[in-house]
Amino acid sequence: MINKFKIILLLLGIILPTAFSFANSGLTTEKDGVGAIVINKSDNNGPDRSSSIIATINGHVLSVVFTENLGQVAIAVTYADGGTVDTSTIQTPSGANIYIAGTGSFVVRFTLRNGDEYWGEFEITE
């Protein structure tokens, strides 16, 4: 009976931390104004390429890196409640840095040439 109890405790010690790390993996991480932006896939028919888009915010600078060639990608930054901040189109797998002068809640959208769309939300507080 003691051995079964030890095995159960050991398994819980392994499973619970893993479960909690997966539960928090969708959150934006931020430290000293630097944060990773979680990229989500909109409802479209193409394969999910969200892991190929890495976006971070550092102060007022949005940095985007594409880890694979997705062709031409349109990038649009808007306020969360509407209103365009910046739009650009780049050829991947290059990256981009976009300076955002204001503060508030923002959405960045990435539209691929085939119409597939990806998005992420972030905030700039100061």
Side-chain angles (χ1 to χ4, degrees), residues 19-47:
F20 286 123
S21 69
F22 281 117
N24 289 325
S25 64
L27 300 175
T28 301
T29 58
E30 187 170 324
K31 181 178 180 181
D32 299 327
V34 179
I37 300 169
V38 177
I39 302 300
N40 304 285
K41 180 182 180 200
S42 294
D43 292 331
N44 44 35
N45 295 327

Side-chain angles (χ1 to χ4, degrees), residues 20-90:
F20 286 123
S21 69
F22 281 117
N24 289 325
S25 64
L27 300 175
T28 301
T29 58
E30 187 170 324
K31 181 178 180 181
D32 299 327
V34 179
I37 300 169
V38 177
I39 302 300
N40 304 285
K41 180 182 180 200
S42 294
D43 292 331
N44 44 35
N45 295 327
D48 187 357
R49 301 277 179 92
S50 59
S51 62
S52 301
I53 305 169
I54 300 171
T56 58
I57 189 73
N58 185 353
H60 288 266
V61 178
L62 171 66
S63 297
V64 181
V65 176
F66 297 92
T67 60
E68 68 176 278
N69 188 351
L70 301 177
Q72 187 173 332
V73 176
I75 303 171
V77 179
T78 60
Y79 288 100
D81 59 359
T84 301
V85 176
D86 188 85
T87 59
S88 59
T89 302
I90 66 168

